[in-house]
Structure formats: structure tokens, C-alpha cells
Short mmCIF file of all heavy atoms in Angstrom, two decimals:
data_model
loop_
_atom_site.label_atom_id
_atom_site.label_comp_id
_atom_site.label_asym_id
_atom_site.label_seq_id
_atom_site.Cartn_x
_atom_site.Cartn_y
_atom_site.Cartn_z
N ASP A 1 -72.39 -136.85 125.74
CA ASP A 1 -71.81 -135.53 125.80
C ASP A 1 -70.44 -135.46 125.11
O ASP A 1 -70.14 -134.54 124.35
CB ASP A 1 -71.70 -135.04 127.22
CG ASP A 1 -73.04 -134.73 127.90
OD1 ASP A 1 -74.03 -134.60 127.14
OD2 ASP A 1 -73.09 -134.68 129.14
N SER A 2 -69.65 -136.53 125.30
CA SER A 2 -68.36 -136.59 124.68
C SER A 2 -68.49 -136.68 123.15
O SER A 2 -67.78 -136.01 122.40
CB SER A 2 -67.58 -137.75 125.20
OG SER A 2 -66.42 -137.94 124.48
N GLN A 3 -69.45 -137.45 122.69
CA GLN A 3 -69.69 -137.62 121.24
C GLN A 3 -70.19 -136.27 120.65
O GLN A 3 -69.70 -135.88 119.57
CB GLN A 3 -70.69 -138.72 120.98
CG GLN A 3 -70.17 -140.12 121.24
CD GLN A 3 -71.21 -141.14 121.12
OE1 GLN A 3 -72.39 -140.88 120.96
NE2 GLN A 3 -70.80 -142.42 121.24
N ARG A 4 -71.08 -135.62 121.33
CA ARG A 4 -71.55 -134.29 120.85
C ARG A 4 -70.44 -133.27 120.77
O ARG A 4 -70.33 -132.55 119.84
CB ARG A 4 -72.64 -133.78 121.80
CG ARG A 4 -73.96 -134.40 121.60
CD ARG A 4 -75.06 -133.67 122.35
NE ARG A 4 -76.29 -134.38 122.29
CZ ARG A 4 -76.95 -134.86 123.35
NH1 ARG A 4 -76.51 -134.65 124.56
NH2 ARG A 4 -78.06 -135.55 123.21
N ARG A 5 -69.55 -133.31 121.77
CA ARG A 5 -68.40 -132.41 121.79
C ARG A 5 -67.50 -132.69 120.61
O ARG A 5 -67.05 -131.79 119.93
CB ARG A 5 -67.70 -132.53 123.14
CG ARG A 5 -66.68 -131.47 123.35
CD ARG A 5 -66.12 -131.48 124.76
NE ARG A 5 -66.04 -132.74 125.43
CZ ARG A 5 -66.88 -133.21 126.39
NH1 ARG A 5 -67.85 -132.41 126.81
NH2 ARG A 5 -66.72 -134.37 126.92
N GLN A 6 -67.24 -134.00 120.34
CA GLN A 6 -66.41 -134.37 119.20
C GLN A 6 -67.03 -133.96 117.90
O GLN A 6 -66.32 -133.47 116.99
CB GLN A 6 -66.17 -135.89 119.25
CG GLN A 6 -65.22 -136.33 120.39
CD GLN A 6 -65.11 -137.84 120.45
OE1 GLN A 6 -65.94 -138.53 119.89
NE2 GLN A 6 -64.12 -138.31 121.09
N LEU A 7 -68.31 -134.20 117.74
CA LEU A 7 -69.00 -133.82 116.50
C LEU A 7 -69.01 -132.34 116.30
O LEU A 7 -68.80 -131.78 115.18
CB LEU A 7 -70.45 -134.37 116.51
CG LEU A 7 -70.60 -135.85 116.39
CD1 LEU A 7 -72.03 -136.29 116.54
CD2 LEU A 7 -70.03 -136.35 115.07
N ARG A 8 -69.22 -131.57 117.38
CA ARG A 8 -69.22 -130.09 117.28
C ARG A 8 -67.80 -129.64 116.85
O ARG A 8 -67.67 -128.77 115.97
CB ARG A 8 -69.61 -129.49 118.59
CG ARG A 8 -69.84 -128.01 118.52
CD ARG A 8 -70.29 -127.36 119.86
NE ARG A 8 -71.25 -128.18 120.62
CZ ARG A 8 -71.02 -128.78 121.76
NH1 ARG A 8 -69.85 -128.61 122.38
NH2 ARG A 8 -71.93 -129.49 122.38
N GLN A 9 -66.80 -130.17 117.48
CA GLN A 9 -65.43 -129.80 117.12
C GLN A 9 -65.08 -130.13 115.69
O GLN A 9 -64.51 -129.31 114.99
CB GLN A 9 -64.45 -130.46 118.09
CG GLN A 9 -63.01 -130.07 117.91
CD GLN A 9 -62.06 -130.78 118.87
OE1 GLN A 9 -62.43 -131.83 119.38
NE2 GLN A 9 -60.98 -130.20 119.10
N ALA A 10 -65.46 -131.29 115.24
CA ALA A 10 -65.19 -131.70 113.85
C ALA A 10 -65.96 -130.80 112.90
O ALA A 10 -65.41 -130.45 111.85
CB ALA A 10 -65.58 -133.18 113.64
N SER A 11 -67.17 -130.43 113.23
CA SER A 11 -67.94 -129.55 112.35
C SER A 11 -67.32 -128.18 112.26
O SER A 11 -67.27 -127.57 111.18
CB SER A 11 -69.35 -129.44 112.88
OG SER A 11 -70.00 -130.67 112.88
N ILE A 12 -66.86 -127.68 113.38
CA ILE A 12 -66.20 -126.36 113.37
C ILE A 12 -64.93 -126.41 112.56
O ILE A 12 -64.66 -125.49 111.78
CB ILE A 12 -65.93 -125.86 114.83
CG1 ILE A 12 -67.27 -125.54 115.50
CG2 ILE A 12 -64.98 -124.68 114.87
CD1 ILE A 12 -67.15 -125.32 116.99
N VAL A 13 -64.17 -127.44 112.73
CA VAL A 13 -62.91 -127.61 111.98
C VAL A 13 -63.21 -127.65 110.47
O VAL A 13 -62.53 -127.01 109.63
CB VAL A 13 -62.11 -128.85 112.38
CG1 VAL A 13 -60.99 -129.21 111.40
CG2 VAL A 13 -61.56 -128.64 113.77
N MET A 14 -64.23 -128.37 110.05
CA MET A 14 -64.59 -128.41 108.64
C MET A 14 -65.02 -127.05 108.12
O MET A 14 -64.58 -126.67 107.02
CB MET A 14 -65.71 -129.44 108.41
CG MET A 14 -65.27 -130.86 108.48
SD MET A 14 -66.59 -132.02 108.04
CE MET A 14 -66.80 -131.70 106.31
N GLY A 15 -65.85 -126.37 108.84
CA GLY A 15 -66.31 -125.00 108.42
C GLY A 15 -65.15 -124.08 108.32
O GLY A 15 -65.02 -123.32 107.32
N VAL A 16 -64.30 -123.98 109.36
CA VAL A 16 -63.14 -123.08 109.31
C VAL A 16 -62.19 -123.47 108.22
O VAL A 16 -61.67 -122.54 107.49
CB VAL A 16 -62.46 -123.05 110.72
CG1 VAL A 16 -61.12 -122.31 110.64
CG2 VAL A 16 -63.39 -122.46 111.76
N ALA A 17 -61.95 -124.73 107.97
CA ALA A 17 -61.04 -125.17 106.96
C ALA A 17 -61.58 -124.77 105.61
O ALA A 17 -60.79 -124.30 104.73
CB ALA A 17 -60.87 -126.67 106.99
N ALA A 18 -62.88 -124.93 105.36
CA ALA A 18 -63.45 -124.56 104.07
C ALA A 18 -63.34 -123.06 103.82
O ALA A 18 -62.98 -122.63 102.71
CB ALA A 18 -64.88 -125.00 104.00
N VAL A 19 -63.62 -122.26 104.83
CA VAL A 19 -63.57 -120.78 104.67
C VAL A 19 -62.15 -120.34 104.43
O VAL A 19 -61.85 -119.53 103.52
CB VAL A 19 -64.18 -120.11 105.89
CG1 VAL A 19 -63.92 -118.59 105.89
CG2 VAL A 19 -65.71 -120.34 105.95
N LEU A 20 -61.21 -120.86 105.19
CA LEU A 20 -59.83 -120.51 105.04
C LEU A 20 -59.27 -120.93 103.68
O LEU A 20 -58.49 -120.26 103.09
CB LEU A 20 -58.97 -121.02 106.21
CG LEU A 20 -59.19 -120.36 107.53
CD1 LEU A 20 -58.32 -121.07 108.59
CD2 LEU A 20 -58.91 -118.85 107.45
N TRP A 21 -59.68 -122.15 103.31
CA TRP A 21 -59.19 -122.70 102.01
C TRP A 21 -59.70 -121.84 100.85
O TRP A 21 -58.85 -121.37 99.99
CB TRP A 21 -59.67 -124.17 101.91
CG TRP A 21 -59.31 -124.90 100.68
CD1 TRP A 21 -58.13 -124.85 100.03
CD2 TRP A 21 -60.17 -125.77 99.91
NE1 TRP A 21 -58.15 -125.68 98.93
CE2 TRP A 21 -59.42 -126.25 98.85
CE3 TRP A 21 -61.48 -126.15 100.04
CZ2 TRP A 21 -59.92 -127.12 97.93
CZ3 TRP A 21 -62.00 -127.06 99.13
CH2 TRP A 21 -61.22 -127.52 98.11
N LEU A 22 -60.96 -121.54 100.79
CA LEU A 22 -61.51 -120.78 99.69
C LEU A 22 -61.03 -119.32 99.72
O LEU A 22 -60.68 -118.74 98.72
CB LEU A 22 -63.03 -120.85 99.63
CG LEU A 22 -63.61 -122.28 99.41
CD1 LEU A 22 -65.14 -122.23 99.58
CD2 LEU A 22 -63.22 -122.69 98.06
N GLY A 23 -61.01 -118.79 100.96
CA GLY A 23 -60.51 -117.43 101.05
C GLY A 23 -59.05 -117.30 100.74
O GLY A 23 -58.62 -116.34 100.08
N GLY A 24 -58.27 -118.25 101.14
CA GLY A 24 -56.81 -118.23 100.83
C GLY A 24 -56.55 -118.41 99.34
O GLY A 24 -55.67 -117.74 98.79
N LEU A 25 -57.34 -119.26 98.70
CA LEU A 25 -57.16 -119.42 97.23
C LEU A 25 -57.54 -118.16 96.49
O LEU A 25 -56.92 -117.74 95.55
CB LEU A 25 -57.97 -120.61 96.73
CG LEU A 25 -57.43 -121.96 97.20
CD1 LEU A 25 -58.35 -123.05 96.65
CD2 LEU A 25 -56.01 -122.19 96.74
N ALA A 26 -58.67 -117.53 96.90
CA ALA A 26 -59.07 -116.30 96.26
C ALA A 26 -58.07 -115.16 96.51
O ALA A 26 -57.71 -114.46 95.53
CB ALA A 26 -60.49 -115.87 96.81
N LEU A 27 -57.59 -115.05 97.73
CA LEU A 27 -56.61 -114.00 98.02
C LEU A 27 -55.30 -114.28 97.28
O LEU A 27 -54.69 -113.34 96.77
CB LEU A 27 -56.40 -113.99 99.56
CG LEU A 27 -55.48 -112.86 100.05
CD1 LEU A 27 -56.07 -111.51 99.73
CD2 LEU A 27 -55.28 -113.05 101.54
N GLY A 28 -54.89 -115.54 97.24
CA GLY A 28 -53.66 -115.85 96.58
C GLY A 28 -53.73 -115.56 95.06
O GLY A 28 -52.76 -115.14 94.45
N GLY A 29 -54.91 -115.83 94.47
CA GLY A 29 -55.12 -115.47 93.06
C GLY A 29 -55.02 -113.99 92.78
O GLY A 29 -54.47 -113.55 91.81
N ARG A 30 -55.63 -113.23 93.70
CA ARG A 30 -55.61 -111.75 93.54
C ARG A 30 -54.22 -111.15 93.70
O ARG A 30 -53.84 -110.18 93.09
CB ARG A 30 -56.54 -111.10 94.46
CG ARG A 30 -57.99 -111.24 94.07
CD ARG A 30 -58.88 -110.46 95.02
NE ARG A 30 -60.27 -110.63 94.71
CZ ARG A 30 -61.05 -109.64 94.27
NH1 ARG A 30 -60.56 -108.43 94.20
NH2 ARG A 30 -62.26 -109.90 93.95
N LEU A 31 -53.48 -111.74 94.69
CA LEU A 31 -52.16 -111.21 94.91
C LEU A 31 -51.10 -111.81 94.04
O LEU A 31 -49.93 -111.36 94.09
CB LEU A 31 -51.75 -111.50 96.39
CG LEU A 31 -52.60 -110.85 97.48
CD1 LEU A 31 -52.19 -111.26 98.84
CD2 LEU A 31 -52.59 -109.31 97.33
#
């Protein structure tokens, strides 16, 4: 259960980081 929780958390962090990274770069380029 601990390993699953860690994997889920790491997956969420990767997904959020990718979305924020790409979105931030696109927004920064437009602004």
C-alpha cells in the first residue's frame, strides 16, 4: 500500500509538472 501510494504521488507530480511546464512556456511566449 505504501509503494502504491508513493507511485501514485510520483505519477501525479509528473503529470502536473508536465502540464504546468508546457502551459507556462506557452503562456510566457504569448505574453
Side-chain angles (χ1 to χ4, degrees):
D1 289 343
S2 174
Q3 289 173 353
R4 282 191 188 119
R5 192 171 31 255
Q6 289 174 342
L7 290 174
R8 189 178 320 114
Q9 184 180 21
S11 298
I12 291 169
V13 166
M14 283 185 71
V16 169
V19 168
L20 290 177
W21 179 42
L22 294 174
L25 290 178
L27 184 63
R30 285 185 182 243
L31 296 177

